């Protein structure tokens, strides 16, 4: 049996309604003191002279399991009260009558009922009793389902919500009962709905619905687990949605072309409780592309409004709208209700030019010459290419054996671009190296080296300072322990010396990569080298990198990179290939100065 | 493989984003023209002088499959742009950089990233590149998951949305980058989240997650189908929620007691895409009852905000709030986004007295005498009791054989109350009979007879008139063909003759029951009898009822009641038991006049 987040199934509905009432906050919702038999949620402000009683009350309800319908729609501009039964079971006559007696004032009450025999009879008898008690009660029954052709009693589906919204908006505006009821009947007469699902409705405490075969869907099913009128293997969403839209169009009175609307329709996309929001958006995309969608003036949803527990499906409701209905559907209602609002559609420019020129500018380079820099780059890249096999062999012991090839590939790429590089402009050079390494090197090591040079290149721009201190601080406002505070770098401006630039780069690598010194990564060679470089120059940096790399051989716990999955006994005595590559690079740079 | 509402899985995300953009309506959302590689949704109004550029941009994103996160939160007061990858896959560096370049103005940009290696590296490199291009970019990484103890890299979950909201509200208010980033870091530093689910995340085009056993749940799982840290058979929801709330409280910095908030917290209840809304409300009920819930100043949700396709689970996020954070969380943002709004909690009177006295009043009776009426009631009830076995035998041929007992039980109840009935006040008498029949008779026949007398009793009250013409008209504004227009009855006032009263009652039976003359029900005797009564009196009514009942024997198609499931060959020659009962009643009434 499917697991459900419930306590005692018998207390399921009262607890859910209490969650709704408590979660709504003070002064919004209340309930009649009649649990467990009478489950009526009503507006807490309805007795206020400026809010209720003198206005028409709008009451609806039905079985539970369709949340947020109906109690989730109780609020100013929508329902005055909602009567809930147990899961998929009609509320009792007494419960409905209690709701009517509790909220109906001189202005009367509109009772909105979905067309199921139990609801019709219980709500109907309650209405007759309320009238016998002298209340003015109008009742409208909604049967918007088009799944079963020529049925004398079409089911009430999500289209009922459009009746609620229109009636609620008019009632809130102070319209008299006959006007509210008349508009509600217009909506009930005009709205059509069709549903589809790829799963049944699992009810807490009952066996799961095993009717559905993987990959299959049912079209035209109800909201109580009733089987659909057609079962098939689900194909492309666009085809299904086209079929549903066409069926709805055919079922609309006069094809929806009646009235001042001139064919305008409102579409309501209701999800049944378990449909992934990602899929619901695909349905919107396909729905708006249909002829019916092209006629849509208003869209409501996608949203879970009239659900069937956690069914993985949706229903589409369509209604021809004129200006009065559109106004009522667009009217404000209590923002804390489950009403998602209606959105006016229309063609608009949805594309923005990709900032490609700016992207290029970000990496724009003007070649320039600096023989010393050229010598260093030539030496470093040469050394890394020469070390390819050795580094691969080293990596083979603790990883997947490609560190040498990864660095060599990057080195070859840099060599091939040497004449096009802005050798005389360190910031531009580092920015360009960042791009080359990012594209030429695979895996996270490529991204990390790309980050290193990008940060080194931009060291000194105000933007990078604040963020340098913070970006990496997961769940903490500080950035303690970052190498050579980038803040001091930034303040030093673009002429920051090489060491400070590399320090900013190493800092960024730590921030974004999440590793630090001692974690058995390239940082164990890089960080000491950068520190030494500032005070002792290239030779000291090379020596520091070398000893730092060698030290990784005695680190038996890797905290980052693929080696993190390797046991200490395998790591013992093996130098980290990344750190070794860094040592090779600094050594080459120093000896060829 | 589970069926999904998609087209080409490769086009899934672009189609979903187009659905979001198209469904939002003109002037709200746009996208960068970079499909399929670059999937960036941004505010369509961002280039307007009064809207964007001069304000801090807030950009976030990550893999798809978490909708409405992140593109669903793009709008004034929330995100300026969202970058989407493929399902559960980080967007590319170029995509993030394109977003940054597209929306970042002089005021700079805050980049909000969930703490996953891919996101950290790609968003991080994009940020460094953007800085290298001269943009002011701050980045905050959110790792709010507490599932895995002592992990150096906690995952980013729904708590990220609180960072979005606070940063978005401050940015919209015109706050400078350092202020926006500082507040975002406070939220990131303080928010904690924990998730639970009873199902995995089904991804379109991939095999379903079969990890979950029916009835089991996983606590502390991620939003990409990562297994939870603990699997167990799901017990009472209150116990699970208590555990989660306690764990969150322990994980809050200083237990959430820090700051001016004095222990106030905001709770965010995020559903993972497939949780039944009914269950989500139970979780709210249980959550608000925990010690943490008692401290909640603000509640956000339940709502599907950071989903994992259609996982049947939820996550709870907690954050200590002071007034500044509360203001930012309560601040208005674009109503058409997926943001559900925050609600201020507090104790309030949630109960309304059940209108029991009024209920009684509805059925209040003062006994009164009318010998003629007493004679008729005695005769009718006597005849029905006498006919019990005969009617049962008749019903046995076409139904479940209890029609006689049903009517006899009602008759006995009426007889037993005879001395207490308001025999001299027809309206009161009918209202009381409605109650007696409704409680003494089982099934829909009891409700329908109760409706008959309730409507007959209230015939003449304005309330019942308008509705009489409409309540039953499913999906149609008219009420053509109803017996003896109730309108004419109502206008006649409370002294309407018996025939008109019964006509109103019969009309109500048709409306609420949905059956009409010729459908092989009691109406086939009742309607002719009521018509005859007005012109010809009791004798004519009895004759009409008799012939009407007899005529049902030749009706081979029942359109209502249990007989509707019986084949014509079984119905041939058998009189409908309900119609027969009506004929017996009218005959008794006439002969004993």
């Amino acid at each position: 049996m499917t697991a459900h987040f419930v306590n005692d199934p018998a207390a399921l509905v009262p607890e859910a309604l209490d969650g709704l009432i408590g979660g709504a906050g003070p002064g919004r919702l209340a309930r009649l003191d009649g649990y467990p038999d009478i489950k009526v949620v009503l507006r807490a402000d309805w007795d206020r002279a400026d809010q209720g009683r003198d206005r028409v009350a709008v009451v609806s309800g039905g079985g539970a399991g369709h949340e947020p319908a109906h109690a989730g729609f109780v609020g100013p501009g929508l329902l005055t009260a909602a009567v809930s039964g147990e899961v998929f079971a009609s509320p009792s006559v007494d419960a409905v009558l209690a709701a009517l007696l509790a909220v109906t004032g001189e202005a009367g009450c509109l009772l909105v009922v979905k067309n199921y025999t139990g609801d019709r009879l219980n709500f109907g008898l309650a209405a007759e009793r309320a009238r016998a008690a002298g209340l003015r009660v109008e009742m409208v029954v909604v049967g918007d389902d088009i799944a079963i052709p020529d049925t004398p009693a079409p089911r009430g589906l999500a289209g009922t919500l459009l009746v609620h919204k229109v009636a609620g908006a008019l009632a809130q505006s102070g319209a008299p009962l006959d006007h509210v009821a008349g508009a509600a009947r217009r909506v009930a007469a005009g709205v059509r709905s069709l549903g589809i699902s790829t799963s049944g409705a699992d009810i807490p405490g009952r066996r799961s619905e095993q009717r559905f075969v993987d990959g299959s869907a049912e079209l035209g099913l109800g909201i109580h687990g009733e089987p659909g009128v057609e079962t098939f293997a689900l194909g492309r969403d666009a085809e299904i949605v086209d079929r549903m839209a066409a069926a709805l169009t055919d079922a609309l009175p006069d094809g929806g072309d009646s009235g001042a609307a001139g064919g305008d329709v409102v579409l309501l996309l209701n999800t049944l409780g378990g449909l992934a929001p990602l899929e619901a958006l695909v349905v919107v995309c396909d729905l708006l592309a249909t002829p019916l969608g092209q006629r849509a003036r208003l869209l409501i949803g996608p949203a879970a409004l009239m659900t069937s527990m956690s069914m993985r499906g949706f229903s589409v409701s369509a209604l021809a709208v004129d200006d009065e209905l559109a106004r009522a559907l667009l009217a404000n209602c209590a923002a804390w209700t489950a009403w998602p609002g209606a959105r006016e559609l229309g063609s608009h420019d949805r594309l923005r030019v990709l900032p490609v020129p700016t992207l290029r500018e970000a990496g724009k380079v003007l070649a320039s010459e600096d023989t010393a820099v050229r010598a260093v780059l030539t030496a470093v890249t040469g050394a890394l290419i020469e070390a390819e096999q050795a580094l691969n062999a080293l990596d083979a012991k603790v990883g997947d054996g490609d560190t040498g090839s990864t660095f060599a590939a990057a080195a070859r790429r840099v060599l091939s671009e040497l004449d096009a590089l802005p050798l005389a402009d360190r910031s531009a050079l580092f920015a360009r190296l960042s791009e080359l390494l990012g594209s030429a090197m695979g895996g996270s090591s490529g991204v990390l080296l790309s980050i290193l040079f990008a940060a080194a290149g931009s060291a000194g721009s105000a933007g990078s300072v604040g963020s340098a201190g913070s970006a990496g601080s997961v769940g903490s406002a500080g950035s303690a322990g970052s190498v050579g505070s980038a803040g001091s770098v930034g303040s030093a401006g673009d002429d920051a010396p090489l060491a400070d630039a590399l320090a900013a780069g190493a800092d960024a690598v730590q921030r974004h990569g999440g590793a630090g010194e001692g974690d058995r990564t390239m940082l164990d060679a890089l960080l000491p080298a950068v520190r030494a470089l500032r005070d002792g120059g290239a030779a000291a940096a090379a020596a520091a990198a070398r000893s730092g790399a060698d030290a990784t051989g005695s680190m038996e716990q890797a905290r980052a990179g693929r080696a993190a999955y390797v046991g200490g006994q395998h790591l013992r005595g093996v130098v980290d290939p990344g750190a070794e590559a860094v040592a090779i690079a600094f050594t080459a740079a120093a000896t060829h100065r």
Side-chain angles (χ1 to χ4, degrees), chain A:
Chain A
M1 209 154 61
T2 311
H4 291 274
F5 295 99
V6 300
N7 298 298
D8 173 9
L12 171 57
V13 178
E15 288 180 342
L17 294 180
D18 283 344
L20 177 76
I21 293 166
R28 289 169 168 176
L29 296 177
R31 68 173 178 90
L32 292 182
D33 190 11
Y35 281 168
D37 298 338
I38 293 180
K39 298 179 283 288
V40 173
V41 174
L42 63 160
R43 282 175 56 175
D45 62 351
W46 189 242
D47 290 328
R48 278 173 47 199
D50 59 329
Q51 290 296 341
R53 292 291 174 189
D54 59 326
R55 292 200 174 91
V56 171
V58 181
V59 175
S60 190
H66 307 304
E67 287 64 23
H70 296 281
F73 298 113
V74 173
L78 268 168
L79 299 180
T80 311
V83 192
S84 180
E86 290 301 310
V87 175
F88 296 169
S90 179
S92 70
V93 174
D94 284 350
V96 179
L97 182 56
L100 293 175
L101 293 167
V103 299
T104 305
E106 284 304 309
C109 176
L110 175 70
L111 187 58
V112 182
V113 183
K114 297 198 300 303
N115 190 32
Y116 299 95
T117 304
D119 285 346
R120 282 183 68 118
L121 294 180
N122 293 345
F123 282 77
L125 177 53
E128 298 296 346
R129 291 236 175 111
R131 289 182 192 122
L135 300 183
R136 293 181 59 213
V137 177
E138 296 263 2
M139 180 166 142
V140 56
V141 180
V142 187
D144 52 321
D145 183 26
I146 65 167
I148 303 160
D150 310 322
T151 175
R155 294 172 291 206
L157 298 179
T160 308
L161 301 172
L162 299 179
V163 179
H164 293 161
K165 183 62 175 69
V166 168
L170 292 172
Q172 184 71 12
S173 74
L177 181 57
D178 57 352
H179 184 183
V180 174
R185 278 177 201 118
R186 282 180 56 213
V187 176
V191 65
R192 300 291 184 268
S193 301
L194 185 59
I196 186 170
S197 180
T198 62
S199 81
D202 282 333
I203 302 174
R206 305 187 204 167
R207 287 219 54 81
S208 310
E209 174 56 67
Q210 301 299 350
R211 190 171 79 236
F212 284 78
V213 184
D214 263 6
S216 75
E218 287 187 2
L219 181 66
L221 76 179
I223 54 177
H224 307 91
E226 311 100 302
V229 295
E230 186 184 346
T231 303
F232 49 84
L234 190 61
R236 290 174 53 87
D237 181 66
E239 291 164 10
I240 305 299
V241 172
D242 280 341
R243 270 191 63 189
M244 295 173 73
L248 286 167
T249 304
D250 294 344
L252 283 172
D254 314 315
D257 279 330
S258 61
D264 284 359
V265 295
V266 53
L267 295 179
L268 184 152
L269 177 54
N270 170 62
T271 59
L272 294 173
L275 181 66
L278 177 65
E279 295 174 66
L281 290 174
V282 173
V283 174
V284 175
C285 179
D286 291 330
L287 181 61
L288 294 181
T290 64
L292 182 64
Q294 293 296 310
R295 287 169 49 194
R297 173 178 175 181
L298 300 179
L299 175 68
I300 298 166
L305 304 172
M306 181 77 75
T307 63
S308 182
M309 292 308 295
S310 59
M311 273 195 345
R312 291 161 64 128
F314 62 90
S315 67
V316 178
S317 302
L319 168 72
V321 285
D322 56 19
D323 291 339
E324 184 196 15
L325 292 184
R327 269 194 306 274
L329 290 170
L330 286 164
N332 289 335
C333 59
W336 42 267
T337 66
W339 183 255
R343 302 182 297 283
E344 285 187 289
L345 300 180
S347 64
H348 62 288
D349 169 26
R350 302 170 184 186
L351 290 183
R352 294 294 181 270
V353 178
L354 196 64
V356 174
T358 334
L359 279 168
R360 291 242 176 67
E361 204 151 304
K364 197 174 71 184
V365 287
L366 293 170
S368 59
E369 184 57 78
D370 182 311
T371 53
V373 173
R374 175 184 289 268
V376 170
L377 283 179
T378 309
V380 170
T381 51
L384 289 172
I385 293 168
E386 187 183 325
E388 177 170 4
Q389 296 314 323
L391 288 172
N392 281 346
L394 197 57
D395 187 36
K397 299 179 182 176
V398 296
D400 51 3
D402 65 354
T403 299
S405 301
T406 305
F407 277 85
R412 293 193 184 90
R413 179 70 187 276
V414 172
L415 265 185
S416 72
E417 298 261 341
L418 199 54
D419 293 336
L421 294 177
L423 300 175
D425 176 347
R426 181 181 294 131
S427 286
L429 174 60
F430 282 172
R432 183 63 185 143
L433 288 176
S434 171
E435 298 212 332
L436 291 177
L437 298 178
S439 56
M441 284 180 81
S444 48
S445 58
V447 178
L448 286 166
L449 280 177
S450 188
I451 286 174
L452 170 71
F453 285 103
S458 57
S461 84
S464 65
V465 178
S467 61
S470 55
S473 55
V474 176
S476 88
S479 70
S482 63
V483 156
S485 156
S488 62
V489 177
S491 56
D494 285 339
D495 301 336
L498 176 62
D500 288 340
L502 290 179
D507 196 31
V509 169
Q510 289 183 97
R511 283 186 278 110
H512 297 300
E517 205 161 356
D519 288 345
R520 203 179 203 284
T521 71
M522 68 171 78
L523 286 167
D524 291 312
L526 180 62
L527 295 175
V530 169
R531 283 194 297 266
L533 181 62
R534 185 184 284 112
D535 313 324
R546 166 50 52 204
S547 59
D550 295 345
T552 61
S554 57
M555 298 178 185
E556 299 193 3
Q557 172 58 54
R559 282 193 199 75
R562 193 176 269 93
Y565 312 118
V566 179
Q569 70 282 12
H570 300 292
L571 301 178
R572 194 174 304 116
V574 180
V575 171
D576 176 72
E580 179 65 21
V582 170
I584 290 171
F586 272 89
T587 304
T591 47
H592 292 73
R593 262 274 165 96

